[in-house]
């Protein structure tokens, strides 16, 4: 069983360095640091590190650690929640002596000496819980590990709203909140926005274009983000906003980047949109994906293609 192989690799190796994806969300941090904490609790003598870019506006949840290159020499490297190697935060991930991938995105890039990918899991954090449960007490669900994994599951299920929430997800969440941490505080923190983020939500609603079929799109220009003095990682607070509208079936948000081009957030209540994301330098889940648009022509292209996907979906009778 792959879980046993991963647990044996963890038992056999020291140090262990855990990576996650760039632009971390709660599941990236939850799975990364949740695993780190479970290893620390089970093996107090091992050196375990969580690395990557600054955790930014999620610093209340976890912080990265800085390590020198020589730590990688004999290290086991584990990457969580990251579908492909270009998205791994900290490019030194391939400098260890062994590499493991643990993820729940479509396995388009099966990197690693061991690869455990389960598309049916709500989140990578749910998989880390399953790994701990399969470890016969070798890995330990400390309070801190449970807090991280709970935050990851809440993040990737939209507080148990999205259709990736399974009976198993809720069973895992039930086990996690038996531990000593404050789940309400985490839910509140993840539900909280700054006034500037709320104003950006207002901008998104004000500028939303909705096609007759229910494909919505909005372009957020650099000036709107700069006028509100928002950091890039604060913009993610508006990704779900159009989905609250009854007439919206799928939506795209185009966030103009400081270096040019647009970061694209694609979301859907039914039509599969990760094929569209893949066609535009992106990827992700069937109903939640990200992509890139090099210029405004590509923005228009994606808008048109999204509208077509929504039309096809409604004529297919779903
Ligand atoms: P986002 O819209 O950035 O919140 O991303 C939604 C989902 O799509 C996440 O699961 C990401 O991992 C994935 N995703 C976002 N951007 C990309 C990209 N450029 N390439 C591959 N997957 C992506």
């Amino acid at each position: 069983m792959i879980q046993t192989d991963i647990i044996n690799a963890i038992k056999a190796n020291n140090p262990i360095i855990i990576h996650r994806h760039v632009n971390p969300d709660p599941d990236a941090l939850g799975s990364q640091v949740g695993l780190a904490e479970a290893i620390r609790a089970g093996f107090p003598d091992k050196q375990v590190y969580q690395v990557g870019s600054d955790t930014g506006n999620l610093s209340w949840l976890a912080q990265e650690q800085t390590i020198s290159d020589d730590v990688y020499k004999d290290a086991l490297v584990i990457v969580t929640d990251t579908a492909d190697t270009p998205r791994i935060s900290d490019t030194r991930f391939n400098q260890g002596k062994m590499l493991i991938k643990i993820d729940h995105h479509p396995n388009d890039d099966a990197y690693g000496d061991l690869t455990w990918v389960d598309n049916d899991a709500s989140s990578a954090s749910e998989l880390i819980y399953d790994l701990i449960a399969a470890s016969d007490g070798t890995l330990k669900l400390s309070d801190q590990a449970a807090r991280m994994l709970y935050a990851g599951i809440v993040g990737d299920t939209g507080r148990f709203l999205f259709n990736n929430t399974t009976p198993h997800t809720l069973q895992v969440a039930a086990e996690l909140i038996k531990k000593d941490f404050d789940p309400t505080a985490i839910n509140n923190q993840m539900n909280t926005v700054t006034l500037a983020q709320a104003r950006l939500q207002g901008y998104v609603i004000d500028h939303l274009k909705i096609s007759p079929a229910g494909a919505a799109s909005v372009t957020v220009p650099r000036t709107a983000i700069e006028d509100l003095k928002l950091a890039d990682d604060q913009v993610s607070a508006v990704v779900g906003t159009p989905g609250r509208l009854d007439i919206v079936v799928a939506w795209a948000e185009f966030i103009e980047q400081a270096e040019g081009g647009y970061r694209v957030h694609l979301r859907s209540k039914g039509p599969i949109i990760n094929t569209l994301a893949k066609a535009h330098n992106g990827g992700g889940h069937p109903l939640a994906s990200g992509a890139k648009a090099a210029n405004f022509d590509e923005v228009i292209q994606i808008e048109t293609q999204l509208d077509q996907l929504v039309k096809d979906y409604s004529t297919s009778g779903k």
Side-chain angles (χ1 to χ4, degrees):
M1 203 164 75
I2 183 73
Q3 289 98 319
T4 313
D5 294 342
I6 295 174
I7 291 157
N8 286 339
I10 290 171
K11 279 184 193 160
N13 284 285
N14 187 34
I16 299 173
I17 307 170
I18 311 181
H19 288 237
R20 38 77 181 168
H21 62 76
V22 294
N23 303 317
D25 54 17
D27 188 37
L29 295 179
S31 56
Q32 177 195 30
V33 183
L35 176 58
E37 292 293 348
I39 300 173
R40 286 180 188 124
F43 298 92
D45 294 334
K46 281 193 198 289
Q47 293 168 276
V48 184
Y49 303 101
Q50 61 222 33
V51 301
S53 53
D54 192 293
T55 57
N57 71 338
L58 289 174
S59 59
W60 60 271
L61 184 59
Q63 264 133 39
E64 73 286 349
Q65 294 169 311
T66 307
I67 57 172
S68 60
D69 294 353
D70 51 282
V71 183
Y72 281 84
K73 195 164 72 72
D74 293 316
L76 165 64
V77 177
I78 305 177
V79 183
T80 68
D81 196 39
T82 312
D84 45 59
T85 52
R87 278 178 58 79
I88 300 175
S89 189
D90 196 331
T91 53
R92 297 176 295 176
F93 70 89
N94 55 10
Q95 290 179 20
K97 79 171 195 216
M98 182 180 186
L99 179 64
I100 297 178
K101 172 186 185 181
I102 302 178
D103 189 29
H104 71 126
H105 297 93
N107 195 16
D108 295 329
D109 177 1
Y111 61 84
D113 303 300
L114 292 175
T115 303
W116 178 27
V117 174
D118 181 353
N119 291 160
D120 295 329
S122 68
S123 51
S125 297
E126 186 177 310
L127 292 178
I128 299 302
Y129 175 87
D130 291 339
L131 186 70
I132 297 169
S135 76
D136 286 331
T138 310
L139 304 178
K140 292 208 172 3
L141 186 67
S142 63
D143 297 333
Q144 181 56 17
R147 173 181 177 269
M148 294 304 307
L149 298 177
Y150 179 80
I153 292 172
V154 166
D156 259 31
T157 61
R159 241 184 297 141
F160 310 109
L161 171 71
F162 307 144
N163 75 343
N164 57 356
T165 307
T166 66
H168 182 62
T169 310
L170 293 172
Q171 276 155 0
V172 170
E175 290 306 314
L176 292 174
I177 63 171
K178 288 179 186 166
K179 304 300 285 189
D180 188 17
F181 70 95
D182 186 350
T184 310
I186 289 182
N187 294 340
N188 276 329
Q189 186 86 44
M190 288 173 46
N191 192 40
T192 299
V193 288
T194 63
L195 185 58
Q197 285 173 313
R199 292 203 164 117
L200 190 64
Q201 288 179 343
Y203 182 97
V204 164
I205 294 295
D206 278 349
H207 295 80
L208 201 63
K209 294 186 288 182
I210 309 174
S211 77
S217 76
V218 62
T219 301
V220 180
R222 219 50 229 155
T223 46
I225 296 166
E226 282 161 9
D227 288 351
L228 289 166
K229 300 190 171 46
L230 282 165
D232 281 329
D233 64 347
Q234 292 181 297
V235 175
S236 59
V238 303
V239 174
T241 303
R244 299 201 59 199
L245 299 177
D246 53 358
I247 49 174
V248 170
V249 180
W251 64 103
E253 289 185 7
F254 302 94
I255 315 293
E256 193 180 3
Q257 301 296 292
E259 65 275 17
Y262 299 80
R263 184 168 168 194
V264 187
H265 300 284
L266 290 162
R267 297 292 187 272
S268 169
K269 295 177 185 169
I272 304 300
I273 39 87
N274 59 352
T275 42
L276 177 57
K278 276 188 212 165
H280 294 275
N281 283 308
H285 304 283
L287 304 184
S289 308
K292 288 175 190 153
N295 49 43
F296 200 66
D297 285 347
E298 196 170 356
V299 167
I300 305 288
Q301 243 182 46
I302 296 173
E303 273 178 3
T304 311
Q305 289 163 346
L306 183 69
D307 190 35
Q308 193 57 49
L309 283 179
V310 174
K311 283 183 195 150
D312 293 347
Y313 180 80
S314 50
T315 53
S316 73
K318 283 190 188 151

